Amino acid sequence: MHISLFSQAMRTLFGNKLRSILTMFGISWGIFSIILMTSVGEGFIKGQREAAATLGTDIIIIWGGKTSMQSDQGQMGRDILLDYSDCLAIREKAVYTKTISAELMRYDVTVRSRLNAGSIDIRGIEPQYQFMRMVVADQGRVLNQSDEEQRRQVAIIGSEVNDQLFDGANSVGEEIRIGPHTFTVVGILPYKEMNSNYSGQDHSDIFVPYQTMRKLFPRRGGPAGKESLNNLIAVPYRHEDWEVAEEEIRQILGEKKRFHPDDHDALSIWNTGEGLEFTVTLFRTTQIFMGAVGIVTVLLGALGITNIMLVTVRERTSEIGLRKALGARPREIMFQFISEAVTLTLIAGGVGLALIAALAWGVNSLPMPVMFGGLIISPAIAWAVVGILCFSGIISGIYPAWIAAKMDPIEALRWEAG
């Protein structure tokens, strides 16, 4: 049965060559366009996620600011400086924040090794910072809780720093002088191209335990003689919590530092979850629009299939009359022509699928540019396309099949004799 359907579809196809080629091209192009645009969108979304992950996934970076609203507890125009007690307050009270770390920085510090010297940025961080910011050692190890608690003078250095200070050799275990203090290198970070950052590339910096940094290189200027921080880094439990986590942080620090939570100038916050959400929404919207254009193209092609099937019904009138005279029921006639229409549609769609699969394979075998993950064909989209093809085939075949099913067998046989 399936073989006869296919062979009959082929006869129909070659019996109306020009019309069939144009119609099937429309369907093939529609399917090609749907999957191309959605796969390009998926590639950009994947690329954006991977690029964002070089900085950290869903991280919230908090800096101090200046109040711009009058509140019951404080006047506008006050400087808001962060200190370590703010980090502890968020860690203790926040419900939506999974992890938080303080960050203390010194810029252009003179660093010396036994081979060379340079001016390098130093970052004092807590151990959990490394997991939030995707700071991973290529050689040696990262900083741990014992380093933090014991205020050890150990450091992990970026690959670019390692090239400058040690000519790219394995420097794990070597000593360096950061200002007047001696540190031991315990890890080397690999080169990591970051498309966005807030304080330079990780591979160009040196990371040391926060408490060690606080002891040796304190940052003065905090309230009531406290040592201030450069910033805090927080991560919500889930990506979906990025907005409520930020609001909660503003609430906690607003209560602690006497500013209104709605005063967004009091804290400067970069919420990477918000940026990623905007990017994903932008590409999803583009996918939907371009996919809709492709669907319209397929449906227009289905009208062409309808036209071809009407011509086929007219050419096979005598065959229809003979089958009905021999006892074929109307639903059997309808099934025959609808099946042929679906087969023609699937053949055309299959060509489009094959072309986009070949293109995706070719593109994905090439080196990908930054922020593009290749042509990613979603299985869900592929199945949706198959569903669209079947629906289009059924719709395009219903009217011709109905015309064939309602034919009077005597009139159909007489049509042949005439």
Side-chain angles (χ1 to χ4, degrees), residues 121-353:
D121 295 342
I122 314 298
R123 303 193 195 190
I125 61 171
E126 297 183 273
Q128 61 270 25
Y129 173 101
Q130 299 162 112
F131 304 102
M132 292 188 284
R133 282 283 332 283
M134 306 301 176
V135 175
V136 181
D138 189 33
Q139 301 177 62
R141 66 173 177 86
V142 295
L143 304 176
N144 57 41
Q145 193 61 36
S146 296
D147 297 329
E148 179 72 9
E149 293 172 354
Q150 299 176 26
R151 300 184 179 183
R152 293 172 180 165
Q153 292 179 208
V154 294
I156 52 177
I157 65 176
S159 60
E160 190 174 280
V161 177
N162 190 60
D163 291 341
Q164 182 175 0
L165 298 181
F166 296 99
D167 292 334
N170 187 346
S171 59
V172 175
E174 294 275 0
E175 291 187 346
I176 57 176
R177 296 278 292 180
I178 303 178
H181 307 288
T182 301
F183 283 72
T184 300
V185 176
V186 295
I188 304 171
L189 305 180
Y191 179 85
K192 180 174 67 173
E193 186 64 44
M194 299 166 61
N195 72 306
S196 60
N197 64 79
Y198 60 94
S199 57
Q201 301 287 329
D202 290 350
H203 55 257
S204 302
D205 294 344
I206 294 176
F207 297 81
V208 302
Y210 170 76
Q211 293 296 342
T212 305
M213 185 80 168
R214 183 182 184 186
K215 173 185 175 183
L216 301 180
F217 303 99
R219 186 173 187 259
R220 302 299 180 184
K226 292 182 179 179
E227 300 162 359
S228 64
L229 304 172
N230 286 83
N231 55 270
L232 298 170
I233 305 286
V235 172
Y237 278 97
R238 304 179 306 161
H239 169 72
E240 294 77 11
D241 295 334
W242 63 266
E243 188 172 13
V244 68
E246 179 181 332
E247 292 174 356
E248 184 180 55
I249 289 170
R250 290 187 184 277
Q251 185 72 40
I252 292 171
L253 294 184
E255 180 180 340
K256 182 175 183 295
K257 293 186 172 294
R258 300 182 298 111
F259 64 83
H260 198 285
D262 293 335
D263 186 356
H264 284 203
D265 291 331
L267 295 176
S268 179
I269 295 182
W270 179 13
N271 196 326
T272 62
E274 180 181 14
L276 183 59
E277 192 71 21
F278 173 79
T279 301
V280 170
T281 301
L282 177 64
F283 282 114
R284 289 289 185 220
T285 303
T286 304
Q287 282 181 302
I288 293 171
F289 174 75
M290 298 308 297
V293 172
I295 290 173
V296 170
T297 304
V298 172
L299 294 177
L300 289 175
L303 292 178
I305 294 290
T306 299
N307 190 35
I308 291 174
M309 294 307 298
L310 285 171
V311 173
T312 301
V313 168
R314 187 171 64 251
E315 292 175 346
R316 293 165 60 186
T317 299
S318 59
E319 175 192 329
I320 296 168
L322 181 59
R323 289 190 60 191
K324 297 192 78 171
L326 294 175
R329 289 173 292 182
R331 65 180 181 183
E332 293 175 344
I333 300 296
M334 286 193 69
F335 177 77
Q336 170 73 25
F337 283 92
I338 290 175
S339 298
E340 290 180 19
V342 170
T343 301
L344 283 173
T345 307
L346 290 176
I347 291 172
V351 172
L353 287 169

Side-chain angles (χ1 to χ4, degrees), residues 34-166:
I34 293 171
I35 298 184
L36 175 64
M37 298 313 301
T38 54
S39 62
V40 167
E42 290 296 329
F44 273 112
I45 290 172
K46 179 185 177 184
Q48 290 289 331
R49 291 187 189 278
E50 291 176 347
T54 61
L55 177 64
T57 302
D58 296 330
I59 62 172
I60 303 172
I61 310 164
I62 307 115
W63 296 271
K66 185 184 290 288
T67 59
S68 61
M69 294 174 60
Q70 188 81 18
S71 69
D72 295 337
Q73 296 178 306
Q75 297 179 344
M76 61 185 298
R78 291 183 300 117
D79 288 326
I80 302 297
L81 300 176
L82 301 177
D83 59 73
Y84 193 66
S85 67
D86 300 325
C87 181
L88 296 178
I90 295 172
R91 188 174 294 160
E92 178 184 351
K93 298 179 180 180
V95 175
Y96 294 97
T97 297
K98 179 181 180 181
T99 313
I100 188 167
S101 171
E103 184 170 18
L104 183 58
M105 299 189 66
R106 287 287 294 273
Y107 300 97
D108 295 327
V109 178
T110 299
V111 182
R112 294 181 174 85
S113 70
R114 58 183 175 80
L115 299 176
N116 207 346
S119 295
I120 301 168
D121 295 342
I122 314 298
R123 303 193 195 190
I125 61 171
E126 297 183 273
Q128 61 270 25
Y129 173 101
Q130 299 162 112
F131 304 102
M132 292 188 284
R133 282 283 332 283
M134 306 301 176
V135 175
V136 181
D138 189 33
Q139 301 177 62
R141 66 173 177 86
V142 295
L143 304 176
N144 57 41
Q145 193 61 36
S146 296
D147 297 329
E148 179 72 9
E149 293 172 354
Q150 299 176 26
R151 300 184 179 183
R152 293 172 180 165
Q153 292 179 208
V154 294
I156 52 177
I157 65 176
S159 60
E160 190 174 280
V161 177
N162 190 60
D163 291 341
Q164 182 175 0
L165 298 181
F166 296 99

